[in-house]
Amino acid sequence: MKRIYLDHAATTAVDREVVQTMIPYFAETFGNASSLHSFGRDAMHALGAARQTVADALGAETGEIFFTSGGTESDNLALKGVETGHIITSLIEHPAILNTCRYLENHGCDVTYLPVDSGGLVDPGNIESAIRNDTKIISIMHANNEIGTIQPIAEIGTIARDNGVLFHTDAVQSFGKTETDLQKMNIDMLSLSSHKIYGPKGVGALYVRDGTEIEPLMHGGGHESGLRSGTENVAGIVGFAKAASLAIERFESDTRHLTNLREMLINGVMDTIDDVHLNGHPTKRLPNNVNLRFDFVEGEAMLLHLDLRGIAVSTGSACSSASKDPSHVLLAIGLAPENIHGSIRFTLGRENTSEDIEYVLGVLPEIVGKLRAISPLVSKGSSRGSSSG
Amino acid sequence: MIGIAIEYTEKVMDHFMNPRNVGEIPDADGAGTVGNQVCGDVTNVYIKVTDGRISDVKFKTFGCGAAIATASMTTELALGKTLQEGLAITRDAVADALDGLPESKLHCSNLAADALHAAIKEYMAKN
Protein backbone atom coordinates (compact mmCIF):
# COMPACT_ATOMS: atom_id res chain seq x y z
CA MET A 1 0.00 0.00 0.00
CA LYS A 2 1.04 3.56 -0.69
CA ARG A 3 2.23 5.28 2.52
CA ILE A 4 2.27 9.04 2.76
CA TYR A 5 3.70 10.74 5.81
CA LEU A 6 2.02 14.08 6.52
CA ASP A 7 2.96 14.47 10.19
CA HIS A 8 6.29 16.30 9.93
CA ALA A 9 5.46 18.56 12.88
CA ALA A 10 5.54 15.39 15.02
CA THR A 11 8.86 14.17 13.67
CA THR A 12 10.75 13.71 10.40
CA ALA A 13 12.69 10.88 8.82
CA VAL A 14 16.43 11.33 9.23
CA ASP A 15 17.95 12.55 5.94
CA ARG A 16 20.16 9.84 4.39
CA GLU A 17 23.04 12.30 4.13
CA VAL A 18 22.66 12.94 7.86
CA VAL A 19 22.71 9.21 8.59
CA GLN A 20 25.92 8.82 6.55
CA THR A 21 27.52 11.71 8.42
CA MET A 22 26.68 10.11 11.77
CA ILE A 23 27.83 6.55 11.13
CA PRO A 24 31.57 7.02 11.85
CA TYR A 25 30.75 8.47 15.27
CA PHE A 26 29.32 5.27 16.72
CA ALA A 27 32.11 2.69 16.40
CA GLU A 28 35.10 4.58 15.00
CA THR A 29 35.22 8.08 16.41
CA PHE A 30 33.55 6.98 19.62
CA GLY A 31 35.72 8.74 22.19
CA ASN A 32 34.57 10.82 25.11
CA ALA A 33 35.11 14.44 24.10
CA SER A 34 36.43 15.18 27.61
CA SER A 35 39.25 12.61 27.38
CA LEU A 36 42.76 13.87 26.78
CA HIS A 37 43.95 11.08 24.46
CA SER A 38 43.60 11.00 20.69
CA PHE A 39 40.21 9.20 20.84
CA GLY A 40 38.87 12.00 23.00
CA ARG A 41 40.44 14.72 20.89
CA ASP A 42 38.85 13.31 17.72
CA ALA A 43 35.45 13.46 19.40
CA MET A 44 36.18 16.94 20.73
CA HIS A 45 37.10 18.15 17.24
CA ALA A 46 33.87 16.69 15.82
CA LEU A 47 31.93 18.43 18.57
CA GLY A 48 33.70 21.72 17.87
CA ALA A 49 32.97 21.50 14.16
CA ALA A 50 29.31 20.68 14.85
CA ARG A 51 29.04 23.65 17.22
CA GLN A 52 30.51 25.90 14.53
CA THR A 53 28.01 24.56 11.97
CA VAL A 54 25.01 25.17 14.23
CA ALA A 55 26.34 28.61 15.19
CA ASP A 56 26.73 29.49 11.49
CA ALA A 57 23.24 28.21 10.72
CA LEU A 58 21.85 30.63 13.32
CA GLY A 59 24.31 33.48 12.80
CA ALA A 60 25.64 33.03 16.34
CA GLU A 61 29.02 32.53 18.01
CA THR A 62 30.11 29.02 19.01
CA GLY A 63 30.16 30.03 22.67
CA GLU A 64 26.45 30.75 22.44
CA ILE A 65 25.39 27.24 21.38
CA PHE A 66 24.64 24.66 24.08
CA PHE A 67 23.69 21.15 23.02
CA THR A 68 20.80 19.51 24.86
CA SER A 69 18.63 16.42 24.52
CA GLY A 70 16.07 18.32 22.43
CA GLY A 71 13.40 21.00 22.36
CA THR A 72 11.83 20.11 25.71
CA GLU A 73 15.12 20.30 27.57
CA SER A 74 16.04 23.54 25.82
CA ASP A 75 12.72 25.11 26.82
CA ASN A 76 13.12 23.90 30.41
CA LEU A 77 16.67 25.22 30.59
CA ALA A 78 15.71 28.63 29.22
CA LEU A 79 12.92 29.18 31.74
CA LYS A 80 14.23 27.39 34.83
CA GLY A 81 17.74 28.67 34.23
CA VAL A 82 16.69 32.28 34.65
CA GLU A 83 16.34 33.58 38.21
CA THR A 84 12.80 33.57 39.56
CA GLY A 85 10.40 36.39 38.90
CA HIS A 86 7.62 37.19 36.48
CA ILE A 87 7.33 35.33 33.16
CA ILE A 88 5.27 36.40 30.15
CA THR A 89 4.19 33.72 27.69
CA SER A 90 1.17 32.85 25.54
CA LEU A 91 -1.73 30.42 25.86
CA ILE A 92 -0.68 28.54 22.70
CA GLU A 93 2.87 27.58 23.65
CA HIS A 94 4.07 23.99 23.40
CA PRO A 95 3.50 21.93 26.56
CA ALA A 96 7.28 22.07 27.14
CA ILE A 97 6.81 25.78 27.91
CA LEU A 98 3.33 25.71 29.44
CA ASN A 99 4.03 22.87 31.85
CA THR A 100 7.39 24.35 32.79
CA CYS A 101 5.58 27.61 33.58
CA ARG A 102 3.07 25.73 35.74
CA TYR A 103 5.96 24.10 37.59
CA LEU A 104 7.60 27.49 38.12
CA GLU A 105 4.32 28.94 39.40
CA ASN A 106 4.50 26.32 42.15
CA HIS A 107 8.03 27.45 42.90
CA GLY A 108 7.54 31.14 43.45
CA CYS A 109 7.24 32.51 39.91
CA ASP A 110 4.34 34.48 38.56
CA VAL A 111 3.27 33.80 34.98
CA THR A 112 1.12 35.85 32.59
CA TYR A 113 -0.42 33.77 29.81
CA LEU A 114 -1.37 36.09 26.96
CA PRO A 115 -4.33 35.36 24.69
CA VAL A 116 -4.09 35.16 20.90
CA ASP A 117 -6.46 36.34 18.18
CA SER A 118 -8.52 34.06 15.94
CA GLY A 119 -5.51 33.55 13.67
CA GLY A 120 -3.31 32.58 16.61
CA LEU A 121 -1.32 35.83 16.78
CA VAL A 122 -0.07 37.38 20.00
CA ASP A 123 -0.60 41.16 20.15
CA PRO A 124 2.80 42.76 20.90
CA GLY A 125 0.91 45.60 22.61
CA ASN A 126 -0.38 43.09 25.17
CA ILE A 127 3.18 42.03 25.88
CA GLU A 128 4.28 45.57 26.47
CA SER A 129 1.43 46.19 28.92
CA ALA A 130 2.07 42.90 30.75
CA ILE A 131 5.66 43.85 31.59
CA ARG A 132 6.19 44.57 35.30
CA ASN A 133 9.18 45.63 37.37
CA ASP A 134 9.90 41.99 38.25
CA THR A 135 9.43 40.58 34.72
CA LYS A 136 12.51 38.51 33.95
CA ILE A 137 11.68 36.75 30.71
CA ILE A 138 9.27 36.72 27.78
CA SER A 139 8.87 33.37 26.05
CA ILE A 140 6.85 33.33 22.82
CA MET A 141 7.16 30.55 20.27
CA HIS A 142 8.31 31.53 16.80
CA ALA A 143 5.74 29.35 15.04
CA ASN A 144 2.98 27.22 16.50
CA ASN A 145 3.22 23.45 16.20
CA GLU A 146 -0.52 22.89 15.67
CA ILE A 147 -1.70 25.73 13.44
CA GLY A 148 1.63 27.01 12.12
CA THR A 149 0.99 30.66 12.99
CA ILE A 150 4.21 32.72 12.80
CA GLN A 151 4.44 35.32 15.57
CA PRO A 152 5.72 38.91 15.14
CA ILE A 153 8.97 37.87 16.80
CA ALA A 154 10.99 40.95 15.77
CA GLU A 155 8.44 43.30 17.35
CA ILE A 156 8.29 41.23 20.52
CA GLY A 157 12.09 41.09 20.68
CA THR A 158 12.32 44.85 20.39
CA ILE A 159 9.81 45.34 23.21
CA ALA A 160 11.77 42.92 25.40
CA ARG A 161 15.05 44.66 24.64
CA ASP A 162 13.66 48.15 25.24
CA ASN A 163 12.34 47.04 28.63
CA GLY A 164 15.45 45.17 29.70
CA VAL A 165 13.66 41.79 29.75
CA LEU A 166 15.11 38.56 28.35
CA PHE A 167 13.44 37.18 25.24
CA HIS A 168 13.27 33.42 24.61
CA THR A 169 11.64 31.82 21.58
CA ASP A 170 10.90 28.17 20.87
CA ALA A 171 11.97 27.83 17.23
CA VAL A 172 11.55 24.06 17.09
CA GLN A 173 8.90 24.21 14.34
CA SER A 174 10.09 27.31 12.52
CA PHE A 175 13.80 26.68 11.96
CA GLY A 176 14.43 26.00 8.29
CA LYS A 177 10.88 26.99 7.36
CA THR A 178 10.83 30.72 8.06
CA GLU A 179 13.64 33.17 8.57
CA THR A 180 15.29 33.50 11.95
CA ASP A 181 17.58 36.47 12.59
CA LEU A 182 18.91 36.55 16.13
CA GLN A 183 20.11 40.14 15.83
CA LYS A 184 17.17 41.75 14.02
CA MET A 185 14.74 39.85 16.23
CA ASN A 186 16.61 40.67 19.45
CA ILE A 187 16.46 37.04 20.54
CA ASP A 188 18.33 36.22 23.76
CA MET A 189 17.57 32.51 23.86
CA LEU A 190 16.26 30.13 21.21
CA SER A 191 15.32 26.45 21.37
CA LEU A 192 16.03 24.03 18.54
CA SER A 193 15.26 20.36 18.03
CA SER A 194 17.09 18.06 15.64
CA HIS A 195 14.35 15.56 14.81
CA LYS A 196 12.03 18.21 13.38
CA ILE A 197 14.63 19.12 10.74
CA TYR A 198 15.47 15.64 9.38
CA GLY A 199 18.05 14.98 12.08
CA PRO A 200 18.16 12.30 14.78
CA LYS A 201 15.94 12.29 17.88
CA GLY A 202 17.35 13.00 21.34
CA VAL A 203 19.39 16.07 20.46
CA GLY A 204 18.79 19.79 20.20
CA ALA A 205 20.30 23.06 21.28
CA LEU A 206 19.68 26.20 23.24
CA TYR A 207 21.16 29.39 21.85
CA VAL A 208 22.06 31.72 24.73
CA ARG A 209 23.20 35.22 23.81
CA ASP A 210 26.64 36.02 25.18
CA GLY A 211 26.34 37.73 28.56
CA THR A 212 22.98 36.17 29.47
CA GLU A 213 23.01 34.81 33.00
CA ILE A 214 21.59 31.34 33.18
CA GLU A 215 21.87 28.42 35.60
CA PRO A 216 22.19 24.74 34.58
CA LEU A 217 19.55 22.05 35.15
CA MET A 218 22.10 19.23 34.96
CA HIS A 219 25.00 19.32 37.39
CA GLY A 220 27.98 17.07 36.90
CA GLY A 221 31.24 17.09 34.99
CA GLY A 222 30.83 20.60 33.68
CA HIS A 223 30.23 19.83 30.01
CA GLU A 224 28.91 22.52 27.65
CA SER A 225 30.78 25.23 29.61
CA GLY A 226 29.08 24.05 32.77
CA LEU A 227 25.57 24.71 31.50
CA ARG A 228 24.71 21.13 30.63
CA SER A 229 26.71 18.35 32.23
CA GLY A 230 26.68 14.87 30.78
CA THR A 231 28.92 13.19 28.20
CA GLU A 232 28.05 14.69 24.83
CA ASN A 233 25.99 12.65 22.36
CA VAL A 234 28.63 13.11 19.66
CA ALA A 235 26.96 11.10 16.88
CA GLY A 236 23.63 12.82 17.55
CA ILE A 237 25.19 16.26 17.67
CA VAL A 238 27.12 15.65 14.43
CA GLY A 239 23.85 14.52 12.79
CA PHE A 240 21.96 17.52 14.15
CA ALA A 241 24.62 19.89 12.80
CA LYS A 242 24.46 18.27 9.37
CA ALA A 243 20.66 18.54 9.40
CA ALA A 244 20.89 22.22 10.41
CA SER A 245 23.32 23.01 7.60
CA LEU A 246 21.11 21.20 5.08
CA ALA A 247 18.12 23.19 6.35
CA ILE A 248 19.95 26.44 5.59
CA GLU A 249 21.30 25.20 2.26
CA ARG A 250 17.84 24.06 1.14
CA PHE A 251 15.88 26.86 2.77
CA GLU A 252 14.68 28.53 -0.42
CA SER A 253 13.85 25.37 -2.35
CA ASP A 254 12.23 23.76 0.72
CA THR A 255 10.00 26.71 1.53
CA ARG A 256 8.97 27.17 -2.12
CA HIS A 257 8.20 23.45 -2.47
CA LEU A 258 6.28 23.26 0.82
CA THR A 259 4.28 26.42 0.12
CA ASN A 260 3.21 25.03 -3.27
CA LEU A 261 2.09 21.75 -1.73
CA ARG A 262 0.33 23.55 1.12
CA GLU A 263 -1.68 25.73 -1.25
CA MET A 264 -2.47 22.72 -3.44
CA LEU A 265 -3.81 20.81 -0.43
CA ILE A 266 -5.82 23.69 1.04
CA ASN A 267 -7.33 24.74 -2.29
CA GLY A 268 -7.98 21.16 -3.32
CA VAL A 269 -9.87 20.36 -0.13
CA MET A 270 -11.88 23.59 -0.26
CA ASP A 271 -12.83 22.87 -3.88
CA THR A 272 -14.02 19.31 -3.29
CA ILE A 273 -15.50 19.29 0.22
CA ASP A 274 -18.15 21.58 1.70
CA ASP A 275 -18.20 22.87 5.27
CA VAL A 276 -14.43 22.86 5.77
CA HIS A 277 -12.52 25.67 7.51
CA LEU A 278 -8.82 26.50 7.75
CA ASN A 279 -7.68 26.77 11.39
CA GLY A 280 -5.01 29.38 12.02
CA HIS A 281 -3.77 32.36 10.04
CA PRO A 282 -4.38 32.63 6.29
CA THR A 283 -0.94 34.10 5.51
CA LYS A 284 1.30 34.25 8.60
CA ARG A 285 1.66 30.51 8.50
CA LEU A 286 4.46 27.96 8.25
CA PRO A 287 4.82 26.75 4.67
CA ASN A 288 4.20 23.14 5.70
CA ASN A 289 1.16 23.49 7.97
CA VAL A 290 -2.43 22.73 6.96
CA ASN A 291 -4.91 22.50 9.84
CA LEU A 292 -8.48 21.92 8.66
CA ARG A 293 -11.77 21.65 10.47
CA PHE A 294 -14.42 19.41 8.94
CA ASP A 295 -17.94 20.03 10.22
CA PHE A 296 -20.10 17.10 11.43
CA VAL A 297 -17.29 14.52 11.67
CA GLU A 298 -14.86 13.55 14.37
CA GLY A 299 -11.11 13.76 13.89
CA GLU A 300 -10.00 10.36 15.11
CA ALA A 301 -12.47 8.63 12.81
CA MET A 302 -10.99 10.61 9.90
CA LEU A 303 -7.46 9.83 11.08
CA LEU A 304 -8.26 6.10 11.16
CA HIS A 305 -9.73 6.12 7.67
CA LEU A 306 -6.72 8.07 6.37
CA ASP A 307 -4.36 5.67 8.16
CA LEU A 308 -6.11 2.73 6.46
CA ARG A 309 -5.29 4.46 3.15
CA GLY A 310 -1.67 4.88 4.24
CA ILE A 311 -1.90 8.59 5.06
CA ALA A 312 -0.46 9.73 8.44
CA VAL A 313 -1.94 12.88 10.07
CA SER A 314 -2.77 14.21 13.57
CA THR A 315 -6.03 15.26 15.22
CA GLY A 316 -7.05 18.27 17.27
CA SER A 317 -8.22 16.46 20.38
CA ALA A 318 -6.85 13.77 22.62
CA CYS A 319 -9.51 11.11 22.58
CA SER A 320 -7.87 9.13 25.32
CA SER A 321 -9.44 10.05 28.62
CA ALA A 322 -12.88 10.20 30.19
CA SER A 323 -13.55 13.36 28.24
CA LYS A 324 -11.76 14.24 25.06
CA ASP A 325 -9.36 17.04 25.79
CA PRO A 326 -9.73 19.60 23.05
CA SER A 327 -6.48 21.18 21.84
CA HIS A 328 -5.46 24.15 24.01
CA VAL A 329 -4.35 25.94 20.85
CA LEU A 330 -7.66 25.56 19.04
CA LEU A 331 -9.51 26.63 22.21
CA ALA A 332 -7.27 29.70 22.45
CA ILE A 333 -8.10 30.82 18.90
CA GLY A 334 -11.74 30.79 19.93
CA LEU A 335 -13.06 27.50 18.61
CA ALA A 336 -15.79 25.70 20.55
CA PRO A 337 -14.94 22.16 21.73
CA GLU A 338 -17.61 20.69 19.42
CA ASN A 339 -15.82 22.21 16.42
CA ILE A 340 -12.35 21.24 17.56
CA HIS A 341 -13.20 17.53 17.44
CA GLY A 342 -13.35 17.65 13.66
CA SER A 343 -9.89 19.17 13.15
CA ILE A 344 -7.05 17.44 11.34
CA ARG A 345 -3.44 18.61 11.02
CA PHE A 346 -1.45 17.80 7.89
CA THR A 347 2.21 18.83 8.12
CA LEU A 348 4.18 18.51 4.91
CA GLY A 349 7.81 17.63 4.47
CA ARG A 350 10.71 17.84 2.07
CA GLU A 351 10.07 14.40 0.59
CA ASN A 352 6.37 14.93 -0.15
CA THR A 353 5.36 15.35 -3.79
CA SER A 354 2.40 16.79 -5.65
CA GLU A 355 1.41 13.17 -6.37
CA ASP A 356 1.10 12.64 -2.60
CA ILE A 357 -1.25 15.61 -2.35
CA GLU A 358 -3.26 14.38 -5.34
CA TYR A 359 -3.64 11.02 -3.61
CA VAL A 360 -4.90 12.69 -0.42
CA LEU A 361 -7.29 14.86 -2.41
CA GLY A 362 -8.50 11.72 -4.15
CA VAL A 363 -9.44 9.84 -0.98
CA LEU A 364 -10.45 12.61 1.43
CA PRO A 365 -13.86 13.54 -0.05
CA GLU A 366 -14.92 9.90 0.09
CA ILE A 367 -13.80 9.53 3.71
CA VAL A 368 -15.54 12.71 4.84
CA GLY A 369 -18.63 11.77 2.84
CA LYS A 370 -18.75 8.33 4.42
CA LEU A 371 -18.49 9.73 7.96
CA ARG A 372 -21.01 12.48 7.27
CA ALA A 373 -23.43 9.86 5.95
CA ILE A 374 -23.51 8.25 9.40
CA SER A 375 -23.30 11.51 11.37
CA PRO A 376 -26.44 12.59 13.25
CA LEU A 377 -25.20 16.19 13.09
CA VAL A 378 -25.43 16.62 9.33
CA SER A 379 -29.18 17.15 9.14
CA LYS A 380 -28.94 19.81 11.85
CA GLY A 381 -26.54 22.06 10.03
CA SER A 382 -26.38 21.10 6.40
CA SER A 383 -27.89 18.63 4.01
CA ARG A 384 -25.04 18.76 1.58
CA GLY A 385 -22.37 16.74 3.34
CA SER A 386 -19.49 16.27 0.98
CA SER A 387 -20.18 17.40 -2.54
CA SER A 388 -18.16 14.66 -4.12
CA GLY A 389 -18.08 12.09 -1.34
CA MET B 1 -1.64 17.42 18.57
CA ILE B 2 -2.18 13.79 19.09
CA GLY B 3 -1.13 11.02 16.80
CA ILE B 4 -3.20 8.33 18.44
CA ALA B 5 -1.43 5.19 19.48
CA ILE B 6 -4.47 3.00 19.88
CA GLU B 7 -4.77 -0.59 18.81
CA TYR B 8 -8.26 -1.69 17.86
CA THR B 9 -9.27 -5.33 17.42
CA GLU B 10 -10.11 -6.69 13.97
CA LYS B 11 -13.80 -6.71 14.89
CA VAL B 12 -13.71 -3.04 15.92
CA MET B 13 -12.00 -2.14 12.65
CA ASP B 14 -14.50 -4.23 10.67
CA HIS B 15 -17.49 -2.47 12.29
CA PHE B 16 -15.77 0.90 11.93
CA MET B 17 -15.11 0.42 8.22
CA ASN B 18 -18.37 -1.38 7.43
CA PRO B 19 -20.89 -0.18 10.00
CA ARG B 20 -24.11 -2.23 10.11
CA ASN B 21 -27.62 -0.78 10.31
CA VAL B 22 -26.68 2.83 9.59
CA GLY B 23 -29.48 5.30 9.18
CA GLU B 24 -32.62 6.70 10.73
CA ILE B 25 -36.12 5.23 11.00
CA PRO B 26 -38.52 8.11 10.29
CA ASP B 27 -41.51 6.30 11.84
CA ALA B 28 -39.51 4.72 14.66
CA ASP B 29 -41.40 3.20 17.60
CA GLY B 30 -38.63 4.39 19.89
CA ALA B 31 -35.56 6.60 19.63
CA GLY B 32 -32.72 7.36 22.02
CA THR B 33 -29.77 9.80 21.99
CA VAL B 34 -26.67 9.72 24.15
CA GLY B 35 -23.56 11.85 24.38
CA ASN B 36 -23.14 15.41 23.22
CA GLN B 37 -21.23 17.29 20.62
CA VAL B 38 -19.06 19.10 23.15
CA CYS B 39 -17.64 15.80 24.41
CA GLY B 40 -17.13 14.62 20.86
CA ASP B 41 -19.53 11.65 20.75
CA VAL B 42 -23.21 11.59 19.81
CA THR B 43 -25.16 8.42 19.02
CA ASN B 44 -28.81 8.14 18.02
CA VAL B 45 -30.54 4.73 18.00
CA TYR B 46 -33.95 4.10 16.40
CA ILE B 47 -36.05 0.94 16.80
CA LYS B 48 -39.16 -0.64 15.28
CA VAL B 49 -41.00 -3.14 17.48
CA THR B 50 -43.07 -6.03 16.13
CA ASP B 51 -44.71 -8.61 18.42
CA GLY B 52 -42.54 -7.53 21.35
CA ARG B 53 -39.31 -7.90 19.42
CA ILE B 54 -36.91 -5.38 17.92
CA SER B 55 -37.74 -5.92 14.26
CA ASP B 56 -35.59 -3.09 12.92
CA VAL B 57 -32.83 -0.97 14.43
CA LYS B 58 -30.74 1.84 12.95
CA PHE B 59 -28.09 4.20 14.28
CA LYS B 60 -26.22 7.38 13.50
CA THR B 61 -22.97 8.34 15.24
CA PHE B 62 -20.71 11.37 15.41
CA GLY B 63 -17.58 10.12 17.11
CA CYS B 64 -14.32 8.25 17.01
CA GLY B 65 -13.67 4.78 15.65
CA ALA B 66 -14.74 3.08 18.86
CA ALA B 67 -17.96 5.09 19.04
CA ILE B 68 -18.92 4.05 15.51
CA ALA B 69 -17.97 0.40 16.03
CA THR B 70 -19.80 0.08 19.37
CA ALA B 71 -22.94 1.62 17.88
CA SER B 72 -22.81 -0.76 14.93
CA MET B 73 -22.28 -3.77 17.22
CA THR B 74 -25.07 -2.65 19.55
CA THR B 75 -27.56 -2.64 16.68
CA GLU B 76 -26.36 -6.05 15.54
CA LEU B 77 -26.82 -7.48 19.05
CA ALA B 78 -30.25 -5.87 19.41
CA LEU B 79 -31.84 -6.93 16.13
CA GLY B 80 -34.49 -9.63 16.68
CA LYS B 81 -34.23 -9.51 20.47
CA THR B 82 -37.18 -9.05 22.86
CA LEU B 83 -37.38 -5.72 24.63
CA GLN B 84 -36.21 -7.30 27.89
CA GLU B 85 -33.26 -8.90 26.09
CA GLY B 86 -32.51 -5.52 24.54
CA LEU B 87 -32.47 -3.86 27.93
CA ALA B 88 -30.04 -6.55 29.12
CA ILE B 89 -27.43 -5.60 26.47
CA THR B 90 -24.75 -3.81 28.49
CA ARG B 91 -21.80 -1.70 27.45
CA ASP B 92 -19.57 -4.53 28.61
CA ALA B 93 -21.46 -6.99 26.42
CA VAL B 94 -20.91 -4.72 23.42
CA ALA B 95 -17.20 -4.37 24.20
CA ASP B 96 -16.89 -8.16 24.64
CA ALA B 97 -18.66 -8.79 21.32
CA LEU B 98 -16.00 -6.59 19.69
CA ASP B 99 -13.23 -8.66 21.36
CA GLY B 100 -12.51 -5.76 23.67
CA LEU B 101 -11.87 -2.02 23.51
CA PRO B 102 -8.81 -0.01 24.54
CA GLU B 103 -9.07 1.00 28.21
CA SER B 104 -9.34 4.68 27.30
CA LYS B 105 -12.36 3.98 25.09
CA LEU B 106 -14.41 1.85 27.49
CA HIS B 107 -16.36 4.75 28.91
CA CYS B 108 -16.48 7.83 26.70
CA SER B 109 -16.90 6.02 23.40
CA ASN B 110 -19.12 3.11 24.41
CA LEU B 111 -22.50 4.77 24.81
CA ALA B 112 -24.68 3.08 22.22
CA ALA B 113 -26.15 0.50 24.65
CA ASP B 114 -27.50 3.42 26.67
CA ALA B 115 -29.06 4.90 23.52
CA LEU B 116 -30.67 1.52 22.77
CA HIS B 117 -32.06 1.34 26.30
CA ALA B 118 -33.44 4.88 25.95
CA ALA B 119 -35.14 3.92 22.67
CA ILE B 120 -36.70 0.81 24.25
CA LYS B 121 -37.87 2.77 27.30
CA GLU B 122 -39.40 5.42 25.06
CA TYR B 123 -41.35 2.70 23.27
CA MET B 124 -42.42 1.13 26.59
CA ALA B 125 -43.60 4.46 27.95
CA LYS B 126 -45.83 4.96 24.90
CA ASN B 127 -47.28 1.44 24.89
Side-chain angles (χ1 to χ4, degrees):
Chain A
M1 185 177 65
K2 199 175 172 68
R3 289 179 85 208
I4 300 175
Y5 186 76
L6 298 178
D7 201 14
H8 292 82
T11 194
T12 57
V14 182
D15 188 287
R16 307 235 173 245
E17 248 186 271
V18 171
V19 174
Q20 288 308 315
T21 309
M22 291 173 70
I23 286 173
Y25 294 93
F26 290 102
E28 293 162 36
T29 311
F30 64 88
N32 184 326
S34 302
S35 300
L36 297 178
H37 45 63
S38 66
F39 295 85
R41 284 198 304 275
D42 289 349
M44 186 189 71
H45 290 145
L47 205 54
R51 201 181 307 279
Q52 184 69 60
T53 303
V54 173
D56 290 347
L58 279 175
E61 298 298 324
T62 53
E64 298 175 314
I65 303 298
F66 300 89
F67 292 114
T68 67
S69 63
T72 295
E73 187 189 330
S74 295
D75 285 348
N76 271 264
L77 179 56
L79 295 189
K80 293 179 186 166
V82 174
E83 63 176 306
T84 56
H86 177 232
I87 299 167
I88 298 171
T89 188
S90 84
L91 285 171
I92 64 164
E93 297 299 307
H94 188 275
I97 290 292
L98 290 178
N99 288 331
T100 300
C101 284
R102 283 182 196 120
Y103 169 87
L104 289 169
E105 280 180 297
N106 291 329
H107 289 77
C109 287
D110 215 10
V111 182
T112 301
Y113 301 91
L114 294 173
V116 294
D117 68 14
S118 60
L121 286 172
V122 173
D123 179 350
N126 285 343
I127 292 183
E128 183 124 49
S129 27
I131 293 175
R132 317 189 312 210
N133 288 337
D134 62 339
T135 304
K136 291 290 187 301
I137 186 165
I138 296 167
S139 180
I140 301 289
M141 69 202 319
H142 192 180
N144 184 264
N145 50 309
E146 295 191 25
I147 54 177
T149 302
I150 300 169
Q151 301 295 344
I153 289 298
E155 279 179 70
I156 298 169
T158 302
I159 291 168
R161 181 63 52 90
D162 290 350
N163 287 277
V165 175
L166 289 175
F167 177 43
H168 166 257
T169 188
D170 178 328
V172 163
Q173 295 290 343
S174 62
F175 183 76
K177 300 187 195 79
T178 185
E179 262 173 272
T180 307
D181 189 318
L182 298 171
Q183 309 316 330
K184 268 195 228 158
M185 296 174 167
N186 284 314
I187 295 165
D188 295 308
M189 290 192 275
L190 176 141
S191 300
L192 286 182
S193 170
S194 157
H195 77 103
K196 310 289 193 189
I197 59 166
Y198 312 92
K201 293 172 182 62
V203 57
L206 181 68
Y207 158 81
V208 183
R209 183 179 289 280
D210 187 35
T212 307
E213 281 183 41
I214 178 169
E215 293 286 321
L217 300 180
M218 299 288 183
H219 299 88
H223 307 78
E224 298 295 300
S225 309
L227 191 57
R228 204 279 186 178
S229 286
T231 300
E232 295 89 349
N233 169 12
V234 178
I237 289 168
V238 166
F240 169 37
K242 182 67 184 175
S245 71
L246 288 175
I248 296 299
E249 200 177 295
R250 299 177 184 175
F251 179 80
E252 285 191 15
S253 64
D254 275 357
T255 49
R256 195 176 335 113
H257 174 63
L258 292 170
T259 304
N260 288 339
L261 295 183
R262 181 190 71 187
E263 294 308 301
M264 182 181 170
L265 180 56
I266 294 173
N267 295 332
V269 170
M270 296 292 179
D271 287 348
T272 52
I273 305 175
D274 291 328
D275 303 312
V276 184
H277 318 272
L278 182 68
N279 292 327
H281 202 279
T283 55
K284 289 170 184 166
R285 186 177 198 102
L286 286 180
N288 75 326
N289 178 290
V290 177
N291 191 316
L292 294 168
R293 192 166 83 246
F294 297 82
D295 291 341
F296 322 122
V297 294
E298 196 271 344
E300 191 217 272
M302 267 188 288
L303 182 151
L304 274 179
H305 271 297
L306 287 165
D307 190 36
L308 289 165
R309 305 295 191 100
I311 301 166
V313 300
S314 287
T315 64
S317 56
C319 181
S320 59
S321 52
S323 66
K324 298 183 189 190
D325 298 328
S327 144
H328 70 285
V329 176
L330 299 181
L331 283 173
I333 62 171
L335 296 183
E338 56 265 39
N339 296 325
I340 292 173
H341 297 307
S343 293
I344 290 279
R345 180 188 69 181
F346 305 83
T347 42
L348 314 168
R350 199 181 270 163
E351 81 282 5
N352 289 134
T353 62
S354 53
E355 287 75 28
D356 292 345
I357 305 303
E358 277 165 22
Y359 179 76
V360 174
L361 292 172
V363 303
L364 199 55
E366 184 195 325
I367 290 170
V368 174
K370 190 171 174 170
L371 290 170
R372 283 180 176 169
I374 67 171
S375 172
L377 308 180
V378 170
S379 53
K380 287 182 190 169
S382 162
S383 57
R384 293 185 300 167
S386 165
S387 59
S388 55
Chain B
M1 298 302 283
I2 304 299
I4 51 158
I6 283 174
E7 290 283 346
Y8 285 130
T9 65
E10 272 181 44
K11 275 196 186 165
V12 171
M13 289 309 292
D14 178 35
H15 278 263
F16 168 67
M17 286 188 290
N18 310 294
R20 280 65 147 175
N21 306 309
V22 170
E24 294 170 16
I25 302 177
D27 58 341
D29 294 322
T33 296
V34 288
N36 67 69
Q37 220 178 320
V38 177
C39 294
D41 279 314
V42 182
T43 289
N44 293 351
V45 171
Y46 307 86
I47 57 168
K48 287 293 279 184
V49 180
T50 311
D51 300 332
R53 287 185 181 272
I54 299 167
S55 55
D56 194 11
V57 54
K58 293 267 189 282
F59 83 92
K60 279 206 161 182
T61 292
F62 161 79
C64 64
I68 292 168
T70 52
S72 170
M73 179 54 88
T74 300
T75 62
E76 200 162 68
L77 292 176
L79 191 61
K81 296 285 197 307
T82 66
L83 299 180
Q84 286 310 318
E85 286 167 343
L87 287 172
I89 295 170
T90 61
R91 293 187 192 187
D92 285 349
V94 174
D96 288 347
L98 288 165
D99 294 336
L101 284 174
E103 178 68 31
S104 62
K105 299 285 188 179
L106 275 173
H107 302 291
C108 72
S109 306
N110 186 10
L111 304 172
D114 297 0
L116 172 69
H117 299 165
I120 292 171
K121 284 172 186 163
E122 188 192 81
Y123 169 79
M124 287 173 147
K126 285 192 294 190
N127 291 272

